Amino acid sequence: MSHGARVIRTGVSSGGPAAPPPVTVASSSAGSDGELMDGGYFRSCAGMLKVAQMISLLIGFISVNNSAWTDYSAYSFFQIVTMCDLVMILFFYIMHIFRVYRKLTCVSWPLAEFLHYLIGTILLLIASIVAASKSYNITGLVAGATFGFLATILCVISMWSSYKVSCITQSTSE
């Protein structure tokens, strides 16, 4: 049973001695496969967007956590959603920095990240709306809801950019 054609590259061709491999210069932002971390992702637009999302979620969580609550269920839901979103964004950030997606090819990482942003953004929008409606002009709760809305906007931008990249990749490969 054949599992498909495989190409095996060797350094020797049938026409004569092997030519030395071409020397390529990798840019310092992309890094090579031998490096442990991808230093270019720190400075990329997607990397900085993830950091901004994590900061706004953390500020929203801390603002709500240090305020006097008027409705326990609304703000506990807000805290759970912000922390879950923060942990998942941190997970994908670390996955990109340490290039885990190259080692675990059994998972469709762009699809997993897109679905995370889709579900997380909807839950974060709902939690921010509920938190804003139950804030009763308490400054900490208003600030938490505001940072929740900011994180929602940043998540929508990330989701749109990942979908845009997926569409461009699919249309050019055909």
Side-chain angles (χ1 to χ4, degrees):
M1 180 190 301
S2 174
H3 292 289
R6 293 185 184 196
V7 177
I8 300 174
R9 295 183 183 191
T10 61
V12 180
S13 66
S14 61
V23 177
T24 59
V25 178
S27 67
S28 62
S29 65
S32 65
D33 288 337
E35 292 179 6
L36 179 63
M37 293 176 57
D38 185 7
Y41 192 74
F42 291 118
R43 294 178 300 276
S44 71
C45 183
M48 288 189 282
L49 195 58
K50 279 187 182 18
V51 169
Q53 291 167 2
M54 289 187 285
I55 290 171
S56 63
L57 286 169
L58 187 62
I59 291 173
F61 175 80
I62 291 172
S63 297
V64 167
N65 194 39
N66 291 334
S67 297
W69 292 2
T70 55
D71 189 358
Y72 180 78
S73 62
Y75 292 107
S76 62
F77 176 67
F78 182 82
Q79 286 183 320
I80 290 169
V81 169
T82 55
M83 277 297 104
C84 288
D85 240 6
L86 179 76
V87 167
M88 286 305 296
I89 291 170
L90 181 64
F91 170 75
F92 282 113
Y93 187 71
I94 291 171
M95 182 202 63
H96 281 290
I97 287 179
F98 291 109
R99 298 181 183 151
V100 175
Y101 60 90
R102 290 185 182 177
K103 294 172 182 58
L104 295 175
T105 58
C106 60
V107 177
S108 174
W109 290 108
L111 179 63
E113 193 167 3
F114 178 75
L115 289 175
H116 157 258
Y117 276 120
L118 181 67
I119 295 167
T121 302
I122 291 170
L123 289 175
L124 190 58
L125 179 64
I126 292 169
S128 297
I129 290 172
V130 170
S133 68
K134 303 279 185 172
S135 66
Y136 303 113
N137 291 331
I138 299 172
T139 56
L141 301 178
V142 171
T146 303
F147 279 103
F149 283 121
L150 177 65
T152 302
I153 292 169
L154 293 173
C155 287
V156 167
I157 291 171
S158 288
M159 187 170 54
W160 178 77
S161 66
S162 71
Y163 179 71
K164 182 178 135 188
V165 168
S166 298
C167 288
I168 291 172
T169 304
Q170 289 176 359
S171 66
T172 58
S173 65
E174 291 181 31

